Amino acid sequence: MSSSVSPLAPKNVPDMPVIAGIRLATAEAGIRYKNRTDVLLAVMDKGTAVAGVFTKSKCPSAPVEWCRAKLKGGKARALVVNSGNANAFTGKTGRASTALTAKIAAKAVGCSEGEIFLASTGVIGEPLDATKFDGVLGRLAEAAEPGDYLTAAKAIMTTDTFPKVATATVKLGKARVTINGMAKGAGMIAPDMATMLSFIFTDAPIAPAALQALLKAGVEDTFNAVTIDGDTSTSDTLLAFATGAAAEHGAPKISRASDPRLKAFVKAFNQVLANLSEQVARDGEGARKLVEITVEGAKTKASARKIAMSIANSPLVKTAIAGEDANWGRVVMAVGKAGEPADRDKLSISFNGIRVAKSGARDPDYDEAQVSEAMKAPEIAIKVSLGLGKGRDRVLTCDLTKEYVAINGDYRS
């Protein structure tokens, strides 16, 4: 966790409403760091539905494997998150650690181990001493209260420079329902049907299967359209919990994601995901520029996504942005290497609304002074027009600075 906040951090932090059926508590368990909170316990009322998407890494963490297995039950009573140790690449020891953590949490909350969900973030390859949760989780279960999502978000930070929270309130039937979310992530970010660590809570009465469908669809153009460094974590976990408490106030029980009554809810749900994912991009390790890359005129949306990600993950593009250099040649390189349909002589590129390349060559009206001034902005928009079709997509990333190297050069030590 950095002592200096990213210059791209949101200027305002939203007030996070209480959600009926959710109680939170944090503590210092001494997992890795001293004198800081590093464990979060969220306690849910009986009957809370759960959904999740996870990393597609072939080397997933032990908590990811645990959650995948327990997700089939569709119900949750507690979430335990620790920072400082990812419990990844820890073999049998890691699996034993998750089992012990779940056992301790189940006893503390008074539920079955199958209703406990786990997430860990931090160093890979070091055993997680789950005995450190013994006693701590019991105290947290007693102390948990509806409310402080900001403190909860701080407890799951690693190299993050600010806690990431978002909220939305929307009408569902006769009731107002709330969606609260938190996330952590600043490096090793290139999600694949998941996110870094993120947790969404709502009082809407949505069945597990419907919630799962909403979550799977919602991440595609939000968290899956964000990259910091092109590296997909072993621990990526996004869990959504729906307590159903709003049913008492007139919210209809939803069993299908296609239910037309969900239209406004889905929009608000996706807005929370989009808000959190943008905050992750804003907090990229060492970032000084938020970069939006839009590719249009591709053969398909999927093709546009691959090209946009090729640009976003290029160290040459990212360092040029860090140096405030509108180097369209590097963008051309990234388009060409993506392996997707492209025609050099139809390609146009702009930086912050200023076209620098047109029809495969430098724009005849190019003005170096104008573009240089535009590149000083904290937010940079790169637009690439391929001129081949109607495919369009957008991804978010950040620049690549010397601080990224400094942070990751001694992360373990």
Side-chain angles (χ1 to χ4, degrees):
M1 185 169 60
S2 174
S3 58
S4 60
V5 177
S6 167
L8 303 173
K11 302 303 181 186
N12 300 303
V13 178
D15 292 327
M16 302 293 287
V18 167
I19 292 181
I22 303 291
R23 294 179 294 122
L24 305 169
T26 63
E28 297 177 18
I31 300 300
R32 182 180 180 217
Y33 308 106
K34 293 183 178 180
N35 302 317
R36 59 154 289 188
T37 55
D38 57 5
V39 61
L40 160 67
L41 175 67
V43 182
M44 277 78 78
D45 282 356
K46 290 181 180 179
T48 296
V50 61
V53 288
F54 309 93
T55 183
K56 284 189 176 179
S57 169
K58 299 302 182 183
C59 300
S61 68
V64 165
E65 291 183 323
W66 174 274
C67 288
R68 280 178 176 157
K70 305 310 174 187
L71 201 62
K72 298 172 185 177
K75 299 295 180 183
R77 288 295 313 284
L79 166 70
V80 180
V81 188
N82 74 269
S83 60
N85 187 312
N87 195 12
F89 199 63
T90 47
K92 293 181 180 179
T93 301
R95 291 189 286 275
S97 179
T98 56
L100 179 56
T101 304
K103 182 178 180 180
I104 294 170
K107 181 179 179 181
V109 175
C111 67
S112 72
E113 293 170 24
E115 296 174 297
I116 302 294
F117 287 80
L118 308 172
S120 299
T121 180
V123 173
I124 294 172
E126 296 184 7
L128 172 63
D129 182 4
T131 62
K132 292 186 176 182
F133 295 122
D134 199 10
V136 173
L137 294 182
R139 293 194 299 272
L140 289 180
E142 293 178 357
E145 296 180 349
D148 201 345
Y149 287 86
L150 193 62
T151 296
K154 289 179 180 178
I156 65 175
M157 292 165 57
T158 51
T159 59
D160 305 63
T161 70
F162 62 88
K164 301 163 183 65
V165 294
T167 187
T169 303
V170 68
K171 198 82 176 288
L172 181 60
K174 297 179 180 180
R176 300 290 293 182
V177 299
T178 300
I179 306 162
N180 284 351
M182 67 179 79
K184 68 82 50 185
M188 200 183 290
I189 306 298
D192 190 359
M193 283 315 296
T195 178
M196 294 46 69
L197 292 187
S198 186
F199 310 105
I200 310 297
F201 305 92
T202 182
D203 53 355
I206 302 177
L211 190 62
Q212 182 67 39
L214 293 181
L215 191 62
K216 186 175 181 180
V219 297
E220 190 57 38
D221 288 330
T222 57
F223 279 110
N224 282 351
V226 170
T227 179
I228 300 301
D229 45 27
D231 288 332
T232 298
S233 172
T234 59
S235 305
D236 286 351
T237 298
L238 171 52
L239 294 169
F241 302 93
T243 69
E248 298 180 5
H249 304 287
K253 295 183 178 180
I254 304 295
S255 60
R256 296 177 296 106
S258 59
D259 192 316
R261 294 173 295 184
L262 269 182
K263 186 176 180 180
F265 179 89
V266 171
K267 183 178 179 180
F269 186 81
N270 290 343
Q271 284 175 343
V272 169
L273 295 179
N275 187 317
L276 291 172
S277 62
E278 180 175 313
Q279 289 186 57
V280 170
R282 287 180 175 276
D283 203 20
E285 291 172 339
R288 293 294 179 268
K289 307 277 189 183
L290 176 69
V291 185
E292 179 186 62
I293 299 169
T294 302
V295 174
E296 63 181 19
K299 287 283 189 179
T300 64
K301 175 181 170 65
S303 181
R305 169 67 61 88
K306 289 181 180 179
I307 292 171
M309 279 294 185
S310 179
I311 299 167
N313 284 324
S314 166
L316 289 176
V317 172
K318 293 160 73 71
T319 50
I321 294 169
E324 300 181 343
D325 178 13
N327 191 333
W328 67 85
R330 293 182 176 182
V331 176
V332 173
M333 172 278 298
V335 171
K337 75 170 186 176
E340 293 297 311
D343 185 333
R344 178 199 62 205
D345 295 334
K346 293 183 178 180
L347 193 62
S348 295
I349 301 167
S350 66
F351 288 84
N352 276 5
I354 302 171
R355 193 169 60 192
V356 297
K358 177 185 178 184
S359 302
R362 187 174 72 176
D363 192 287
D365 296 325
Y366 178 77
D367 183 330
E368 179 73 30
Q370 180 188 29
V371 178
S372 294
E373 184 63 30
M375 293 301 292
K376 294 178 181 179
E379 299 183 10
I380 304 297
I382 300 175
K383 184 176 181 180
V384 174
S385 299
L386 298 173
L388 300 178
K390 297 182 179 180
R392 185 183 187 278
D393 208 353
R394 163 192 173 273
V395 302
L396 292 176
T397 189
C398 60
D399 56 346
L400 181 58
T401 67
K402 293 178 181 179
E403 189 177 349
Y404 179 90
V405 178
I407 291 169
N408 288 284
D410 63 357
Y411 182 67
R412 281 184 68 249
S413 55

